[in-house]
């Protein structure tokens, strides 16, 4: 038996909708893009949602909308993907990394305030594994120091904190619809915007610096170049594919949660024997089963178990090399305070196979393989 780490999402409607887009419109901002954006706005109660070519690009748009410029400082965890930092580094900002909490792997909200200087402009919480950061505290800090909050909610589509959707707490929220995320358009993302007044600027940046969106809504009688912009709108082909997933979003979410809970139940015994640690979900958080990870005793056991799983044809992987220890991270950022958990916790984490359609039988096989590893 081979169990892949991830599987490409397809249902019958994926093909039907892509074919439909082919016969109607393939360039951006057609019916499927509208359907997806409206769905986000309604489902997550946000003023505006714009489909983008990636989460990376949604973060770049957010950095631009916050007017990030040379010398600004941006606070984020080091345990994240390069895109979280790139968006700001590209505009001349310095990245200030703060340690994570060992229980959720999210930025430690209690360490943020000490990292703030008069140059700090933005806080970037990353909802790791679709489990929300402590947004009440983070928004309080942002308000007190007049900072923007940009949520990297790449992994947190359908996740909630205190009953409110991830991606809607900050000034901006960025989703990813990369192939490996819960909802896929191959490559793609979305920018959620809290303030409608800002949304117009966002549309301009997204559409090559023009006010074409206003023109199509009949708000201006011609469109022209009115500011800096790029091309951040995805093709209708990708949006059509995404719609086939969003249409059954609850079903996908439920199915992933069932798989996640099955892993948890079956691995509880090993946690009890202190052979590994399982994820922790704070009671304020409703997660989306984006990821099932385990943590081994140390890095050495992680490496051995990864090898063992690989030899058993199970697609398990480690996650981020902390950004502050990477080549670019050292050039563009600094770690504020002590690295108590970022390096240590990340070096013992293993992500297990997780995708829509993963069966209990497959999970049982993964669990049995892990059990046999620990039997030696
Ligand atoms: C996947 C991911 C991204 C990047 O998403 P893309 O859509 O591939 O650009 C950014 N941040 C985090 C935390 C991610 O998991």
């Amino acid at each position: 038996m081979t169990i892949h780490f991830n599987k490409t999402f397809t249902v019958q409607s994926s093909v039907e909708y892509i074919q439909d887009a082919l016969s109607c419109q393939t360039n951006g901002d057609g019916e499927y893009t509208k359907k997806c954006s409206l769905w986000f706005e309604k489902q997550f109660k946000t003023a505006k949602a714009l489909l983008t070519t990636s989460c990376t690009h949604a973060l770049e748009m957010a950095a631009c909308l916050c007017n990030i410029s040379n010398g600004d400082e941006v606070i984020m965890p080091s345990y994240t993907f390069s895109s979280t930092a790139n968006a700001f580094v590209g505009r001349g900002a310095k990245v200030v990394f703060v340690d994570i909490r060992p229980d959720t792997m999210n930025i430690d909200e209690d360490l943020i305030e000490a990292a703030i200087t008069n140059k700090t402009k933005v806080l970037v919480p990353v909802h790791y594994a679709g489990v929300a950061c402590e947004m009440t505290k983070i928004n309080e800090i942002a308000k007190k120091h007049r900072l923007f909050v940009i949520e990297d909610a790449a992994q947190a589509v359908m996740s909630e904190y205190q009953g409110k959707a991830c991606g809607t707490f900050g000034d901006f929220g960025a989703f990813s619809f990369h192939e490996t995320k819960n909802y896929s358009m191959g490559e793609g993302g979305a920018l959620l915007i809290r303030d409608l007044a800002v949304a117009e600027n966002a549309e301009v940046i997204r559409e090559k610096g023009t006010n074409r969106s206003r023109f199509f809504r009949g708000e201006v009688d011609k469109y022209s170049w009115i500011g800096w912009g790029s091309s951040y709108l995805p093709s209708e082909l990708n949006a059509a594919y995404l719609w086939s997933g969003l249409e059954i979003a609850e079903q996908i979410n439920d199915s992933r949660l069932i798989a996640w809970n099955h892993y948890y139940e079956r691995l509880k015994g090993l946690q009890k024997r202190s052979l590994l640690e399982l994820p922790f979900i704070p009671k304020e958080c409703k997660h989306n089963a984006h990821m099932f990870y385990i943590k081994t005793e140390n890095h050495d056991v992680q490496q051995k178990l990864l090898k063992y799983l690989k030899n058993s044809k199970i697609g398990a992987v480690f996650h981020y090399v902390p950004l502050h220890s990477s080549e670019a991270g050292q050039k563009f950022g600094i770690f504020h305070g002590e690295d108590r958990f970022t390096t240590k916790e990340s070096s013992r984490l293993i992500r297990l196979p997780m995708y829509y359609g993963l069966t209990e039988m497959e999970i049982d096989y993964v669990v049995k393989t892990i059990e046999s590893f620990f039997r030696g």
Side-chain angles (χ1 to χ4, degrees):
M1 181 145 55
T2 299
I3 303 174
H4 296 283
F5 175 67
N6 180 56
K7 249 188 195 168
T8 304
F9 169 81
T10 41
V11 287
Q12 205 185 332
S13 57
S14 311
V15 180
E16 280 168 20
Y17 295 163
I18 291 169
Q19 258 163 2
D20 183 43
L22 268 174
S23 62
C24 297
Q25 175 179 343
T26 59
N27 64 310
D29 281 341
E31 288 309 310
Y32 285 105
T33 301
K34 274 182 207 144
K35 274 186 180 182
C36 293
S37 323
L38 269 177
W39 190 87
F40 295 129
E41 286 163 13
K42 265 183 137 164
Q43 179 87 12
F44 302 134
K45 301 186 181 67
T46 182
K48 190 81 184 173
L50 294 174
L51 223 54
T52 59
T53 31
S54 64
C55 176
T56 305
H57 283 164
L59 290 166
E60 278 179 25
M61 286 177 67
C64 186
L65 289 161
C66 292
N67 270 316
I68 291 296
S69 60
N70 252 339
D72 288 339
E73 291 179 5
V74 177
I75 295 176
M76 66 180 66
S78 168
Y79 186 66
T80 183
F81 192 55
S82 58
S83 297
T84 320
N86 270 326
F88 304 95
V89 166
R91 304 184 59 84
K94 180 167 103 182
V95 181
V96 178
F97 298 115
V98 165
D99 208 8
I100 53 168
R101 297 162 43 140
D103 58 353
T104 57
M105 305 297 285
N106 282 334
I107 192 166
D108 187 335
E109 65 279 2
D110 291 330
L111 301 177
I112 293 174
E113 213 159 8
I116 294 173
T117 71
N118 57 8
K119 290 181 180 159
T120 308
K121 207 160 189 183
V122 185
L123 304 180
V124 193
V126 180
H127 308 299
Y128 186 70
V131 179
C133 299
E134 282 302 320
M135 290 314 298
T136 303
K137 177 89 193 262
I138 290 171
N139 274 356
E140 266 170 28
I141 297 169
K143 199 169 168 201
K144 183 172 155 198
H145 296 271
R146 296 165 176 267
L147 306 172
F148 290 107
V149 173
I150 301 177
E151 293 172 77
D152 183 338
Q155 305 176 8
V157 181
M158 297 285 276
S159 294
E160 292 177 4
Y161 174 81
Q162 294 180 346
K164 189 169 145 74
C166 285
T168 67
F169 286 88
D171 300 276
F172 303 99
F175 284 161
S176 174
F177 306 114
H178 182 266
E179 143 104 15
T180 52
K181 302 301 202 293
N182 289 25
Y183 305 93
S184 172
M185 54 197 282
E187 301 273 0
L191 179 67
L192 306 194
I193 304 168
R194 184 166 61 190
D195 182 357
L196 259 189
V198 177
E200 253 177 41
N201 285 339
E203 285 177 340
V204 171
I205 292 170
R206 181 170 169 271
E207 277 207 274
K208 298 101 175 168
T210 69
N211 54 353
R212 209 162 81 122
S213 292
R214 295 195 63 191
F215 171 72
F216 281 132
R217 282 197 296 266
E219 295 165 13
V220 288
D221 56 13
K222 60 179 190 294
Y223 75 86
S224 64
W225 185 30
I226 60 164
W228 181 84
S230 186
S231 185
Y232 289 130
L233 66 165
S235 157
E236 274 289 285
L237 297 174
N238 300 69
Y241 175 33
L242 177 63
W243 181 246
S244 71
L246 295 184
E247 219 179 26
I248 54 163
E250 298 286 349
Q251 188 183 319
I252 292 172
N253 199 54
D254 290 347
S255 153
R256 292 184 78 109
L257 280 166
I258 288 169
W260 195 98
N261 289 327
H262 193 66
Y263 265 128
Y264 196 93
E265 285 307 313
R266 293 291 322 270
L267 289 167
K268 254 176 25 192
L270 290 175
Q271 173 165 257
K272 228 175 185 162
R273 290 164 52 204
S274 301
L275 292 169
L276 48 81
E277 276 172 47
L278 300 181
F280 168 72
I281 313 291
K283 66 176 194 312
E284 296 83 0
C285 300
K286 206 167 115 188
H287 74 112
N288 62 355
H290 171 60
M291 187 192 299
F292 196 92
Y293 67 78
I294 55 176
K295 284 195 266 183
T296 55
E297 193 188 335
N298 55 42
H299 184 58
D300 186 47
V301 181
Q302 180 221 43
Q303 291 297 307
K304 286 182 177 138
L305 179 52
L306 276 172
K307 207 166 156 196
Y308 191 83
L309 291 168
K310 194 179 168 197
N311 290 338
S312 313
K313 296 190 166 61
I314 292 170
V317 295
F318 69 94
H319 218 177
Y320 312 123
V321 172
L323 295 184
H324 76 284
S325 59
S326 66
E327 196 181 325
Q330 283 174 8
K331 201 157 131 195
F332 300 122
I334 54 151
F335 197 98
H336 182 273
E338 193 192 340
D339 171 11
R340 284 180 67 203
F341 298 114
T342 300
T343 300
K344 184 171 154 231
E345 297 302 304
S346 61
S347 73
R348 61 194 193 96
L349 184 142
I350 294 178
R351 302 171 67 188
L352 300 179
M354 175 57 89
Y355 50 83
Y356 177 60
L358 181 68
T359 66
E360 296 204 342
M361 208 177 80
E362 288 166 323
I363 293 170
D364 290 340
Y365 176 69
V366 176
V367 171
K368 281 199 184 105
T369 309
I370 295 172
E371 283 169 345
S372 82
F373 169 81
F374 282 113
R375 271 198 303 273

